[in-house]
Amino acid sequence: QVQLVESGGGLVQPGGSLRLSCAASGGTFSRLAVSWFRQVPGKERQFVAAIDWSGGSTFYSDSVKGRFTVSRDNAKNMAYLQMNSLIPEDTAVYYCAADVHIRYGPNDYWGQGTQVTVSS
C-alpha cells in the first residue's frame, strides 16, 4: 500500500554533507515507522537510523551516531536522513524502509535505493 522513493545521493568529499529524502505515496505514511539502511557490495544490508511514526523517538547505529540525523514531515509524506562529517566508509547504496513498527531487519516497504559515494 506504500511506495517509497529515495533521492539526494551523489558524490561528496570526505567531511562533506548530504541530505537524503524519502518520498512516500499510496498509503497512510503517517502511521508507519521509517528506517534507513545501507548496503555495500559483498556485505549484508545494515541498519543506519530509524524514526517512529510521531517523530518523537529516533535510533542510530553506532557507526553514524553524532553524524547523521533522521527526521520526517508527515504533512509532506517525507522522511529525511541528514548526513554530516561523511567518511569513505559511508559509501553505500542507501534505502528507506517503512513498517508498522521500527524493524532492524526486513520491513514491509522498501525504496529503490540511492547511491552515496564519499571520495576525494
Side-chain angles (χ1 to χ4, degrees), residues 3-119:
Q3 294 79 47
L4 305 174
V5 179
E6 303 95 334
S7 62
L11 176 64
V12 64
Q13 294 184 347
S17 298
L18 284 173
R19 189 176 78 158
L20 305 183
S21 298
C22 178
S25 62
T28 308
F29 175 74
S30 62
R31 292 187 178 182
L32 301 178
V34 174
S35 299
W36 290 90
F37 294 79
R38 65 188 183 187
Q39 189 167 26
V40 300
K43 301 292 184 180
E44 291 191 353
R45 190 171 296 184
Q46 295 180 327
F47 172 79
V48 175
I51 186 167
D52 72 356
W53 68 270
S54 70
S57 297
T58 58
F59 305 88
Y60 301 93
S61 67
D62 288 341
S63 62
V64 306
K65 284 181 180 177
R67 300 189 297 120
F68 290 11
T69 303
V70 62
S71 61
R72 67 190 298 162
D73 186 341
N74 286 341
K76 298 180 179 179
N77 287 342
M78 296 287 292
Y80 307 96
L81 184 67
Q82 178 67 45
M83 305 186 295
N84 299 326
S85 302
L86 286 161
I87 58 177
E89 290 76 15
D90 294 321
T91 296
V93 176
Y94 284 72
Y95 300 87
C96 65
D99 212 327
V100 175
H101 306 287
I102 293 174
R103 303 190 189 278
Y104 301 103
N107 277 243
D108 278 351
Y109 307 102
W110 292 88
Q112 84 290 345
T114 185
Q115 176 71 46
V116 172
T117 301
V118 184
S119 177

